[in-house]
Amino acid sequence: MLRTLFKKHAISKTISVLLIFITVALIITSDNDKHATTEEADNLAKRANKAFESGNYKLAASYFEAALVKYLQNDADHSQIANLRNNLGVVWKELGDYEKSLDHFQAAIEVYSEIVGNNPINSNTLQLNMANSFLNISSIWLDRKEPDKALSFIEASEEKYKESTTSKPKHTAAVLGNLALYWTIKNNHGKAIELLKQAESILLADGNNNLPLVAKTRVNLGNSMYELGDYDNSIKYIEMAVQNTESIYGMDHPSLALMWTTIGNAWNMKGNYDLALDYLTKALKSDLKNYGEEHPNVAIDWNNLANILITMEDFDRAIEYGEKARTLLVKSFGKKYAGLSMVYGSIGTAYTKKGDYSSGESYYKKALSLDTQLYGENHPLVANDMLNMSVIFQYQGLYEKSIDYLNRVETITIKNLGEKHPNLVAVYTNLGVSWDSMGELEKAFSYYEKALQINIEAFGEKHPDVAMLNGNIAILLAKQGDYTRSIQRFDYALKASIRTYGEITLVVSELQENYAVALYGAGNRTKAKNLFTKSFETREKLLGSDHPITLHSKNRLSEISRIITHSMD
């Protein structure tokens, strides 16, 4: 069976700098009521900091907003107001309200600039705080996947840090962290990892092993390793970040949920679906405890669980969880919320793999319609939705229609991202599948090779998709009767997949079965039987004796055993 590719999503975490609010040089007046108001504002700000550190961002926002009102009423020191604005920007970013967040960061920068202009001699701390606000704005644009807008703010923050004699190694590390995320969005994961390792080294050399920034840096290292297909190191770095976070904040901090999600996704890619399900369930429980049942983070958890259940072929439960995610997001943000397209895609995939193509197509169309309204017809997210549409046409045998969609996806992707972007791997792979299914083997071969070369250039030869593409090419070569080259490709793909996923996984069992078919065609029936046996035993162990895939394997094994026995008589 040829492997087609649906769109996939990655999680990155930008670095925001929360200024610890410190009461400085309060203006002393004879107005006792005014002085009382200032003290009340100080206490509110301190409570806000504690709420933020514990992960209760809504409470932190309410305290910071109340403190801001008090300071403005009291005509407090302008630097205090600017610091408070910065902190409000960080909190609203964590809560997902980017417009409010940007407003507060920009207001903070304006106040800092005005103070520095009036008193340039004592400007070190203000330059530092201004740099923090610039960096925080860059993190918003990175979260919104607009790296070019982010870059100018990263550069501005770096310049301001250099102007301040009070900047520390952690500030350099923060700049490197956001530069790494810039390169991550640009799909240069090698560059991102290089910068993140520099940031980690700087922090550890400065004796900051337990700094929250160390945990965030390691989370981003884990995410970059994940994108490169290095799942073992991804898990390693995220687990280190978990230890950092638990040592600082305890075992109930809300940021742990995102880390467990990434670990769960890595175990999913390694083929250990039960362990993946455990971690994703742990993330859900954490978010439920910290935010309650109706928080958007909980919706994302339900959707992540839906995706792992699709992999486990538990389609009904996947649809149930996907619908929970959809309901929560609509309730929180309305029907035009951008994140809904991801959920529509998950539900559509569950229906498609279940064989309900009408329902699958309906949800893919919802995702396509929403993204088109939000971003226009030529946006990469629209191309991803069209990619999913092409796959559902493949499932129905409508290959010409699938190819039409894929050609449009190719055009949009090249226009936006260039001719070597990794998003084209899925496009060319699926073009190969469609042309192969139509009997156009040479066209299929050329598309598989294009996909393979782009993937190797972007991620290196050890990326899991390299093994998958070699497997697809091997199947094609076997169809052409070129068993020697087919077997060479299968041998490479099987060894690489076992290295990535382990031997007892469904991905490996599928490769073993296809490899066995090629060996059988080449006349090596004994080795073919051994691989059919391994494939069947894995599927029986993971899926059970009565699963349709297991029964299919059993029938093929019985047939080859009968043929071998008959030939010996």
Side-chain angles (χ1 to χ4, degrees), residues 13-70:
K13 182 68 175 175
T14 49
I15 296 171
S16 292
V17 182
L18 180 72
L19 300 178
I20 301 303
F21 189 88
I22 301 173
T23 304
V24 295
L26 294 175
I27 299 171
I28 300 174
T29 71
S30 60
D31 187 341
N32 291 329
D33 290 337
K34 195 172 182 180
H35 183 70
T37 302
T38 303
E39 287 185 344
E40 189 178 349
D42 291 346
N43 289 329
L44 286 166
K46 290 173 184 175
R47 290 178 191 174
N49 280 320
K50 287 182 180 178
F52 183 90
E53 289 173 2
S54 68
N56 192 336
Y57 303 127
K58 281 188 176 180
L59 185 61
S62 67
Y63 280 138
F64 276 138
E65 293 282 9
L68 180 61
V69 170
K70 296 289 184 184

Side-chain angles (χ1 to χ4, degrees), residues 51 82 135 178 201 228 307 346 354:
L135 192 67
N178 277 15
S201 297
L228 283 175
N307 287 329
S346 298
K354 185 183 177 182

Side-chain angles (χ1 to χ4, degrees), residues 370-381:
L370 178 59
D371 283 336
T372 302
Q373 288 178 51
L374 293 173
Y375 306 111
E377 294 182 352
N378 294 312
H379 194 276
L381 288 176

Side-chain angles (χ1 to χ4, degrees), residues 178-461:
N178 277 15
L179 271 174
L181 287 169
Y182 167 86
W183 287 111
T184 296
I185 297 169
K186 293 284 189 177
N187 278 289
N188 190 334
H189 300 290
K191 181 67 173 177
I193 288 169
E194 177 189 332
L195 291 168
L196 288 166
K197 285 188 173 180
Q198 283 183 40
E200 183 189 34
S201 297
I202 288 169
L203 291 168
L204 296 181
D206 197 43
N208 288 313
N209 188 49
N210 286 326
L211 196 72
L213 193 54
V214 174
K216 287 184 178 181
T217 301
R218 286 171 171 167
V219 166
N220 290 336
L221 268 167
N223 287 336
S224 292
M225 297 290 186
Y226 178 94
E227 289 300 320
L228 283 175
D230 188 352
Y231 303 123
D232 289 330
N233 274 319
S234 175
I235 292 167
K236 170 189 164 186
Y237 275 105
I238 302 293
E239 285 181 340
M240 289 167 69
V242 168
Q243 291 174 2
N244 289 137
T245 303
E246 288 181 343
S247 68
I248 300 167
Y249 300 120
M251 300 179 69
D252 295 323
H253 195 267
S255 65
L256 291 167
L258 180 62
M259 300 177 204
W260 289 325
T261 296
T262 306
I263 294 172
N265 287 335
W267 281 116
N268 176 26
M269 296 305 295
K270 283 176 66 66
N272 192 329
Y273 306 127
D274 290 332
L275 196 53
L277 190 63
D278 286 345
Y279 273 101
L280 293 174
T281 301
K282 196 173 182 180
L284 172 65
K285 289 179 179 177
S286 173
D287 282 335
L288 283 170
K289 182 175 181 179
N290 283 295
Y291 300 117
E293 294 182 358
E294 298 186 354
H295 194 274
N297 282 13
V298 173
I300 294 169
D301 294 328
W302 285 122
N303 193 63
N304 287 335
L305 283 166
N307 287 329
I308 186 66
L309 290 168
I310 290 168
T311 306
M312 299 173 76
E313 301 194 343
D314 189 346
F315 302 123
D316 289 333
R317 205 150 55 113
I319 292 165
E320 176 192 344
Y321 288 179
E323 287 292 354
K324 284 186 176 184
R326 182 192 64 79
T327 301
L328 277 176
L329 290 177
V330 170
K331 185 173 182 179
S332 296
F333 301 111
K335 293 182 179 180
K336 302 296 183 184
Y337 176 59
L340 278 168
S341 63
M342 178 179 65
V343 177
Y344 289 144
S346 298
I347 298 172
T349 300
Y351 274 118
T352 299
K353 292 197 170 186
K354 185 183 177 182
D356 185 346
Y357 302 127
S358 176
S359 296
E361 185 176 347
S362 172
Y363 275 96
Y364 285 151
K365 282 182 176 178
K366 287 180 180 181
L368 178 59
S369 175
L370 178 59
D371 283 336
T372 302
Q373 288 178 51
L374 293 173
Y375 306 111
E377 294 182 352
N378 294 312
H379 194 276
L381 288 176
V382 172
N384 281 335
D385 298 327
M386 294 175 71
L387 176 67
N388 282 350
M389 291 288 290
S390 76
V391 173
I392 202 168
F393 294 135
Q394 280 181 358
Y395 272 69
Q396 297 176 85
L398 302 172
Y399 301 116
E400 291 182 355
K401 199 169 183 180
S402 175
I403 288 168
D404 177 57
Y405 268 84
L406 288 165
N407 286 335
R408 289 157 66 187
V409 174
E410 179 189 20
T411 300
I412 294 170
T413 304
I414 290 174
K415 181 179 178 180
N416 284 280
L417 304 172
E419 295 183 349
K420 298 293 185 181
H421 195 275
N423 282 12
L424 288 166
V425 171
V427 180
Y428 292 141
T429 299
N430 289 329
L431 277 166
V433 170
S434 288
W435 284 115
D436 187 357
S437 301
M438 293 174 70
E440 297 279 356
L441 302 187
E442 291 302 324
K443 283 186 178 180
F445 187 85
S446 69
Y447 279 115
Y448 287 147
E449 285 288 6
K450 284 176 80 171
L452 182 61
Q453 290 309 310
I454 290 172
N455 206 83
I456 289 172
E457 286 180 27
F459 303 122
E461 293 190 357

